[in-house]
């Protein structure tokens, strides 16, 4: 396999994305069997690129200086790497999921939605929609970490540089059951009836 010694710094406001591609990614060596067996990778010459604003497509020489005892099928490889504008994109209403709990139906996270701001290459971010972003918190983490607030896990299959979730943490709150609501409603009705029937609330008799 060929390993590219390529050091790249993009200009401010730009970023690389995808993998560095080499063509060919492997070469054929001929010569001393003993020396060839010692080789695990073949490296290119070291190349440093600074203030890059456009995608890279260039030939890089292979380091094949083996003292004439080994020859290579290729003297160079073609290196390509994509460069694009670095942008940020916000998704204001991404739902948050509470997972892995037998009793999760009795609890919910507050707030139930989050704002997610993603930073990355424009070509990638233009293709991302809110449903590509998954936010979740494992119910058991609240017990393990002995806390009522946690930061969510973020799952996004597409390549981005960073993301920010607002708010940063979410609170676990208990959802009142239908029976609890009915019980509280009944208690309130009884209390109200008691107040109405109280002698202190009766009208004065003539």
């Amino acid at each position: 396999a060929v390993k590219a010694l390529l050091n790249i710094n993009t200009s401010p406001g730009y970023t690389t994305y995808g993998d560095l591609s080499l063509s060919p990614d492997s070469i054929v060596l001929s010569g001393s069997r003993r020396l060839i067996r010692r080789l695990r990778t073949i490296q290119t010459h070291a190349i440093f690129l600074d203030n890059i604003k456009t995608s890279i497509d260039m030939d890089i020489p292979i380091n094949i200086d083996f003292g004439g005892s080994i020859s290579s099928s290729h003297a160079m490889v073609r290196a390509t790497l994509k460069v694009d504008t670095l942008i940020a994109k916000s998704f204001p209403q991404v739902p948050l999921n509470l997972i892995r709990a037998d009793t999760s139906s009795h609890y919910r996270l507050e707030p139930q939605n989050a704002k997610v701001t993603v930073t990355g290459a424009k070509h990638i971010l233009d293709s991302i929609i809110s449903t590509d972003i998954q936010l979740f918190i494992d119910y058991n983490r609240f017990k393990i970490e002995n806390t009522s607030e946690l930061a969510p896990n973020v799952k996004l299959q597409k390549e981005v540089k960073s993301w920010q979730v607002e708010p940063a943490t979410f609170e676990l709150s208990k959802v009142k059951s239908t029976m609890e609501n009915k019980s509280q409603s009944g208690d309130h009705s009884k209390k109200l009836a008691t107040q109405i029937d109280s002698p202190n609330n009766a009208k004065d008799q003539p």
Side-chain angles (χ1 to χ4, degrees):
V2 179
K3 180 180 180 180
L5 300 182
L6 189 59
N7 193 333
I8 302 169
N9 286 331
T10 55
S11 295
Y14 291 84
T15 185
T16 61
Y17 69 97
D19 296 324
L20 175 66
S21 175
L22 296 179
S23 180
D25 59 1
S26 61
I27 60 176
V28 177
L29 299 177
S30 303
S32 170
R33 180 181 298 178
R34 179 177 58 85
L35 293 177
I36 291 176
R37 283 180 174 176
R38 293 179 180 178
L39 299 174
R40 293 293 179 266
T41 60
I42 302 298
Q43 297 181 341
T44 67
H45 287 280
I47 302 293
F48 179 77
L49 302 175
D50 198 18
N51 293 322
I52 300 300
K53 295 181 180 179
T54 58
S55 295
I56 296 165
D57 187 0
M58 62 183 296
D59 289 325
I60 305 177
I62 298 174
N63 187 358
I64 52 174
D65 184 12
F66 303 114
S69 59
I70 298 177
S71 61
S72 170
S73 61
H74 293 76
M76 292 190 177
V77 292
R78 191 78 175 178
T80 57
L81 182 63
K82 296 175 181 177
V83 176
D84 200 359
T85 307
L86 181 68
I87 66 169
K89 185 176 181 180
S90 293
F91 302 87
Q93 291 292 323
V94 179
L96 192 67
N97 297 309
L98 182 64
I99 65 169
R100 292 185 184 176
D102 294 337
T103 57
S104 62
S105 59
H106 303 306
Y107 294 88
R108 69 181 179 188
L109 296 167
E110 294 290 350
Q112 299 179 52
N113 295 286
K115 176 183 177 182
V116 181
T117 302
V118 183
T119 303
K122 183 179 185 301
H123 177 78
I124 300 294
L125 265 61
D126 284 346
S127 67
I128 295 177
I129 58 177
S130 60
T131 53
D132 292 326
I133 305 171
Q134 297 180 37
L135 300 179
F136 59 92
I137 297 178
D138 189 327
Y139 170 81
N140 295 317
R141 284 182 56 203
F142 288 100
K143 292 184 177 179
I144 294 171
E145 301 181 30
N146 192 26
T147 182
S148 61
E149 292 188 8
L150 286 172
N153 295 97
V154 181
K155 186 177 181 180
L156 179 58
Q157 297 292 344
K158 298 187 179 181
E159 178 189 356
V160 298
K161 294 301 178 182
S162 64
W163 56 66
Q164 181 180 6
V165 180
E166 299 177 73
T169 59
F170 296 80
E171 184 177 2
L172 183 69
S173 63
K174 188 172 183 180
V175 179
K176 293 181 180 178
S177 67
T178 303
M179 294 300 295
E180 287 176 326
N181 287 331
K182 287 182 177 180
S183 175
Q184 289 185 358
S185 177
D187 291 344
H188 178 73
S189 297
K190 290 179 180 178
K191 183 177 180 182
L192 183 61
T194 300
Q195 290 177 346
I196 293 175
D197 294 339
S198 172
N200 293 330
N201 294 325
K203 292 183 177 179
D204 295 336
Q205 297 297 327

